[in-house]
Amino acid sequence: RGFVYTQILTASVRLGIIEALASGPKTAAQLAEERSMSEESCRRLLDGCVALKLLERRGRHRYGLAVLGAALLGNPSVA
């Protein structure tokens, strides 16, 4: 379980998902286009972040920062 958590966290940080959601919730399609990745891959990563409580669903199709994800913003040890 720890390995999966680390991989999801690393991918979300490297792809800039956390920073991209700092301005507000977005859809998987928006994030996928901004990050040059497939929508399906992006959705899987976002759902993994939701499971780890880094993100939360906002309505039916949007994702936003959860408390744990917001704590990563501006944290130099995560960059």
Side-chain angles (χ1 to χ4, degrees), residues 41-61:
S41 295
C42 187
R43 183 172 282 111
R44 280 194 301 264
L45 177 58
L46 295 172
D47 287 342
C49 288
V50 169
L52 298 178
K53 302 192 185 320
L54 297 171
L55 304 179
E56 56 190 21
R57 288 185 177 272
R58 304 282 175 88
R60 209 170 156 209
H61 298 288

Side-chain angles (χ1 to χ4, degrees), residues 16-69:
I17 299 293
I18 303 299
E19 291 80 14
L21 292 172
S23 61
K26 296 184 179 184
T27 65
Q30 289 172 308
L31 288 165
E33 184 175 335
E34 291 172 4
R35 302 292 167 236
S36 300
M37 58 191 299
S38 75
E39 186 175 343
E40 182 58 33
S41 295
C42 187
R43 183 172 282 111
R44 280 194 301 264
L45 177 58
L46 295 172
D47 287 342
C49 288
V50 169
L52 298 178
K53 302 192 185 320
L54 297 171
L55 304 179
E56 56 190 21
R57 288 185 177 272
R58 304 282 175 88
R60 209 170 156 209
H61 298 288
R62 296 178 353 157
Y63 295 84
L65 292 176
V67 175
L68 292 178

